Amino acid sequence: MSTYILKRLLFAVPVLLGLSVIVFLIMAMIPGDPATAILGSYATPENVARVNKQLGLDKSLVEQYFIWLGNMLHGDFGRSYSLNRPVIDEVLERFGATLILAGTSLLLCSIFGLLAGVFSAVRQFGWGDRIITFLVLIGISLPSFWLGLLLILGFAVQWKLLPASGMFAIYGGGDLPDLLRHLLLPSVTLAVVATGVVARLTRAAMLEVLRQDYIRTARAKGLSERRVIYRHAFKAALVNVIPVIGIQAGFVLGGAVYIETVFQWPGIGRMLVQAIATRDLLLVQGGVLVVAASYVLFNLLADVVQHKLDPRLKS
Amino acid sequence: MKRLSKFVAAAALGASVALSVASGAALAQTPPNVLVVGQIAEPKSLDPQTVTALNDSRILMNIYDGLVRYKDGTLQPVPALAKSWTISDDGLVYTFKLRDGVKFHDGSPFNAEAVKFTFDRMLDEKHPYHNTGPFPLSFYFSAVDKVVAKDDLTVEFTLKEPYAPFMSNLAQPTGLIVSPEAVKQYGKDFGRHPSGTGAFKFAEWESNAKVVAVRNDDYWGGAPKLEAVVFRPITDANTRVAEMLSGGIDMMVEVPPDNVATFASDAGYKVQEQAGPHVWFLILNAKEGPMADKRVRQAVNYAIDKKALVSNVLQGTAEVAAGPTPPAFSWAYNDSLQPYPYDPEKAKMLIKEAGQDGADLTFYVTEGGSGMLDPIPMGAAIQADLAKVGLNVKIETYEWNTFLGKVNPGLEGKADMAEMAWMTTDPDTLPYLALRSAAWPGKGGFNSGYYSNPKVDELLEKARSSTDQKERARLYKEMQEIVRDDAPWAFIANWKQNAVTSARVGGFSLQPSFFLILQDVTKS
């Protein structure tokens, strides 16, 4: 098992390196440059050249890449010129906030997705199943930024029950209830689509499992229906659902970009949007690498859990 | 039944937890005597010499002072950290007498050396702290030859050539005075640990959440009434409006035109509008194609229904522009100038005379950008107006950075017209950078439409080297008349900046400089 994990982690290194090259190239290809972003209307070719020189962007792209790579191997991710502070400080600070948001959403979508899926499968074609299937369809089809605005309109503007944006109250606050208040709307918004996906897959996996011979055997043995469903069928279905939840983790991280913008959550998604707009290459690189690395980790984690659950995969 | 009751119990528990969590937020009120301001973006830095965005200056102006500042409600420089000044007859030497007994927030003294340090750091590439830059707007002070600290409270600027906008540039964020001790201590991180002499002291900057500044009890201009100001970056305009409506912020700027009416009709809010030194125009390519003919350029000015544009597309958040200089520069503005009236018949006639009936034109439109208001709908409306007079306009739309990359190097060979907007604080800046023959692209200017009129060149050169404001005003007024007639641009709109505050906020007024000055603001 540990060699498997080690191998997977080592494999992540070339993936991340390749990714860094791609991001570097994309940022170089998209029009507009940092100096223009900094200077705005004042961007004459001379001013642009002057600022580029001050930023060290007059060197060739290859040179810039290797300077960055070399620095990074020494633990220096460079300095964001749009925020004027070390990239690593900014990225880690923001990533923490994103993890809280994405983690909560993942938890919500796992709990509700699994519950809804099992419920649906057990009552296949019943009214409960139909209602859930319908809700799931709506959930999957809703654009989450729109849903977010709608929730803000209802809960913050109309009823003034929950704050519209931010992560903590501006004054006072800062404790757990304060965080939860701010977390509720964005995490629910972010979880809706993923819940739909998990519910659908759980339902399918459960239906598949419920048709298996060993379930019939279990029932024939006279086990209670609850025991059959939760001990036997659910556990077996979970093996197929876990990797999907791993992938959802990635989607939730990606979806966080919109949600963080709508709810002004101080996370890495919003940081990336801003960094791209200001052509802050080093900040984009740092942010994308951290997100990618966590994506790799989440999938690894899902695989490990799957290994643990599924005796057939144990070598 | 038993299961159902269990479910109900669980649901009740969940609901009560949710309610208890929510109840705290029902008081989404901001704390008393602390002003929470909704800003349009996260600041880049609080080092005044390194920033360019208006968003950042709104914070900076409350933490720092310059030698001079704009008089309340005007763009007239008046004393701030400098008590008085003299200008030599040749307009080359400015001597400032500094205010005594002022301290920076870090406790170090404000003196002539601090002024010298501020400008040398930005302008002298060999200065030990020049690497704390870049200083993108240092060219505001490119006329400065040297800064000398004559004694502790006297500082002397020597210019390379007479340069009348120098005083108003000193009132800009780029001219704010920083604490040398703080720059030495924090180096490149100074922008995160700002120290000035302003009415509010920097307290905390939490990335993407808030910048907090607290009252400076020792402020030389009298301590402000507010205990603290919190600047919250809320990039999404809808969310900013939602926060204002839900009570999460006390003040917001740049209210979308659609929402101004909502706030104006609610007694819980106060809406402020103020015409700023802003002009929104079309650059017309005077070098080649149909626009090379003055009659076509004038026709474009007649053909666009500017009144409809400001009242329908911009919903009254702007006024029709008459010429290249916004009325906010009251002393330099030629108020006898009338906007080109909407006269499609006259436009058709001029186009026919020029033999350009049915001409094909390329029009650069941007998706958004600083001061650009609502560029896509505005571009579409202009296209429709021009179609009515027989000009066939093809729109090309670009993202702001790309757009600037295409427009600033000049329109030659690419386009006949392009949208543009400028916000400036001296009547010299825009015409000097964008209307002189010597400001054609490639010569370091922004005259992307290649306008050239020797008389305008002469007037502008004279105006910037004159230190007599009356004389300058006369020259600018004459320039505006010529430019209006030559029509190198289609003059469209002057934006009225706006802000909404809750009714609890008092003593606040918008400034023509677009800065937020919060020293006298109160909150009940």
Side-chain angles (χ1 to χ4, degrees), chain A:
Chain A
M1 195 70 189
S2 55
T3 45
Y4 168 77
I5 294 176
L6 197 69
K7 250 199 232 158
R8 284 284 301 265
L9 283 177
L10 279 179
F11 183 67
V13 174
V15 169
L16 294 179
L17 263 182
L19 195 81
S20 74
V21 175
I22 292 170
V23 175
F24 221 93
L25 288 179
I26 290 177
M27 286 298 286
M29 274 191 296
I30 53 174
D33 63 318
T36 312
I38 289 177
L39 287 163
S41 312
Y42 292 102
T44 54
E46 296 81 64
N47 287 342
V48 168
R50 189 168 51 85
V51 172
N52 271 339
K53 191 161 173 256
Q54 286 171 335
L55 294 171
L57 293 170
D58 52 340
K59 299 188 172 72
S60 77
L61 205 64
V62 180
E63 233 175 312
Q64 285 181 47
Y65 178 77
F66 280 105
I67 291 175
W68 172 77
L69 194 65
N71 287 342
M72 207 179 53
L73 292 176
H74 291 98
D76 174 10
F77 282 65
R79 204 179 166 81
S80 149
Y81 43 78
S82 70
L83 294 168
N84 205 3
R85 74 186 293 221
V87 165
I88 191 76
D89 293 0
E90 186 68 18
V91 166
L92 290 183
E93 220 174 277
R94 300 297 195 83
F95 192 58
T98 295
L99 276 187
I100 292 176
L101 176 61
T104 313
S105 304
L106 200 63
L107 196 71
L108 289 177
C109 85
S110 307
I111 294 173
F112 289 103
L114 288 173
L115 280 179
V118 171
F119 182 87
S120 229
V122 172
R123 289 168 177 72
Q124 196 187 6
F125 303 133
W127 275 107
D129 179 30
R130 278 181 208 180
I131 291 171
I132 285 181
T133 309
F134 178 68
L135 288 178
V136 160
L137 185 70
I138 290 185
I140 291 177
S141 330
L142 277 183
S144 45
F145 56 89
W146 178 80
L147 177 68
L149 287 175
L150 208 67
L151 290 178
I152 291 180
L153 195 65
F155 286 92
V157 176
Q158 209 62 41
W159 303 314
K160 299 196 193 309
L161 281 174
L162 290 166
S165 67
M167 187 169 172
F168 288 105
I170 284 306
Y171 253 63
D175 50 0
L176 189 64
D178 186 37
L179 175 64
L180 289 179
R181 273 199 292 279
H182 284 82
L183 189 57
L184 204 58
L185 293 184
S187 61
V188 166
T189 312
L190 187 51
V192 164
V193 176
T195 305
V197 174
V198 172
R200 252 191 192 181
L201 276 151
T202 310
R203 180 176 182 273
M206 278 297 282
L207 288 175
E208 178 75 28
V209 170
L210 286 173
R211 270 186 232 119
Q212 302 287 325
D213 289 341
Y214 64 88
I215 296 295
R216 202 170 304 145
T217 313
R219 283 193 176 129
K221 279 197 307 194
L223 291 182
S224 74
E225 186 64 13
R226 186 186 272 194
R227 211 175 158 81
V228 170
I229 302 244
Y230 290 100
R231 276 290 160 78
H232 291 73
F234 180 64
K235 205 175 155 190
L238 206 54
V239 173
N240 294 321
V241 177
I242 290 286
V244 176
I245 292 181
I247 291 169
Q248 286 309 306
F251 280 117
V252 165
L253 275 177
V257 173
Y258 309 114
I259 301 304
E260 285 176 3
T261 304
V262 171
F263 288 95
Q264 302 298 305
W265 192 261
I268 206 158
R270 232 179 106 206
M271 182 203 83
L272 279 174
V273 172
Q274 244 175 328
I276 291 168
T278 51
R279 304 293 183 267
D280 197 335
L281 185 55
L282 294 179
L283 197 55
V284 175
Q285 284 273 12
V288 169
L289 282 187
V290 169
V291 172
S294 59
Y295 195 92
V296 171
L297 271 179
F298 278 131
N299 277 309
L300 177 62
L301 205 66
D303 287 353
V304 170
V305 174
Q306 195 186 19
H307 264 79
K308 287 259 181 245
L309 285 177
D310 192 344
R312 288 168 302 180
L313 291 173
K314 280 187 184 133
S315 46

Side-chain angles (χ1 to χ4, degrees), chain B residues 56-127:
Chain B
D56 302 7
S57 1
R58 291 190 177 119
I59 305 177
L60 290 168
M61 281 296 161
N62 295 292
I63 297 179
Y64 296 90
D65 293 304
L67 291 177
V68 296
R69 62 163 59 136
Y70 295 121
K71 191 179 163 195
D72 189 34
T74 72
L75 290 168
Q76 184 75 35
V78 293
L81 285 176
K83 279 196 301 194
S84 63
W85 55 87
T86 53
I87 306 171
S88 67
D89 289 338
D90 59 3
L92 287 178
V93 182
Y94 287 65
T95 310
F96 294 90
K97 283 280 170 206
L98 305 182
R99 202 169 283 279
D100 196 3
V102 177
K103 282 196 162 21
F104 286 106
H105 299 152
D106 62 2
S108 61
F110 161 76
N111 52 30
E113 278 304 328
V115 177
K116 180 176 166 53
F117 180 95
T118 297
F119 286 91
D120 285 354
R121 173 175 81 119
M122 167 170 52
L123 299 172
D124 176 8
E125 285 181 22
K126 293 189 189 75
H127 191 270

Side-chain angles (χ1 to χ4, degrees), chain B residues 420-460:
Chain B
M420 189 47 73
W422 280 72
M423 283 183 272
T424 54
T425 42
D426 189 280
D428 168 78
T429 316
L430 177 57
Y432 194 81
L433 286 174
L435 286 171
R436 275 179 321 134
S437 314
W440 280 25
K443 294 179 189 165
F446 298 90
N447 189 347
S448 307
Y450 316 93
Y451 171 60
S452 175
N453 184 328
K455 184 68 187 162
V456 169
D457 295 347
E458 189 198 315
L459 289 169
L460 288 172

